[in-house]
């Protein structure tokens, strides 16, 4: 039987804290995914442009959620993306750091909400 001296054992060695991140990393958003969403559903961008021209006076800007309050979403999230994709003909869309929630109904009529950065629609 071997002899074990008490001082031969190592002293208490605390282990460092381990940080566990159990949330999955957010996936990078691919632009082709958004293009696929717009092609699945027909979005009349001319109607969206007319909605903007009816609400936004020239040389001013209005928040997208205010426009949608006046002209409710008919085509779901694809229509909201259609508004965000409008550039040209004197219309630009800029996003801010402020968050907003936009309510809409999906194609089945179920109420949905999207949380996004506030978008400002500006006319030249």
């Amino acid at each position: 039987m071997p002899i074990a001296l008490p001082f031969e054992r190592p002293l208490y060695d605390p282990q460092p804290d381990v940080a566990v991140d159990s949330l999955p990393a957010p996936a990078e958003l691919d632009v082709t995914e958004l293009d696929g969403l717009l092609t699945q559903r027909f979005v009349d961008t001319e109607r969206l442009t007319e909605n903007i021209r009816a609400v936004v006076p020239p040389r001013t800007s209005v928040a997208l959620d205010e426009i949608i309050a006046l002209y409710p979403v008919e085509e779901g999230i694809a229509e909201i993306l259609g508004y965000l994709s409008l550039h040209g003909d004197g219309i630009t869309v800029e996003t801010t750091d402020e968050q907003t929630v936009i309510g809409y109904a999906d194609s089945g009529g179920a109420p949905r909400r999207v949380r996004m950065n506030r978008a400002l629609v500006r006319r030249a």
Side-chain angles (χ1 to χ4, degrees):
M1 188 160 165
I3 300 175
L5 300 173
F7 293 110
E8 287 181 345
R9 292 185 287 157
L11 297 175
Y12 175 71
D13 185 23
Q15 297 297 317
D17 292 335
V18 177
V20 178
D21 185 13
S22 62
L23 297 175
E28 290 294 321
L29 186 59
D30 190 9
V31 176
T32 56
E33 293 176 11
L34 298 178
D35 290 340
L37 181 61
L38 288 173
T39 58
Q40 289 179 4
R41 199 91 184 153
F42 175 74
V43 177
D44 186 7
T45 54
E46 187 62 36
R47 179 180 59 86
L48 302 180
T49 302
E50 291 303 317
N51 292 348
I52 290 172
R53 287 194 176 123
V55 173
V56 183
R59 293 176 295 287
T60 59
S61 63
V62 174
L64 179 61
D65 53 335
E66 294 174 12
I67 295 171
I68 290 176
L70 295 171
Y71 296 99
V73 174
E74 299 172 2
E75 302 297 327
I77 191 72
E79 185 172 336
I80 296 172
L81 292 174
Y83 273 114
L84 294 175
S85 68
L86 292 178
H87 288 287
D89 294 333
I91 296 174
T92 58
V93 180
E94 302 168 356
T95 57
T96 65
D97 292 335
E98 185 181 348
Q99 293 283 310
T100 187
V101 176
I102 297 176
Y104 66 95
D106 65 7
S107 59
R112 301 282 183 199
R113 294 184 313 176
V114 62
R115 176 173 290 147
M116 57 184 268
N117 287 355
R118 176 162 278 188
L120 296 175
V121 180
R122 183 178 311 275
R123 275 188 66 192

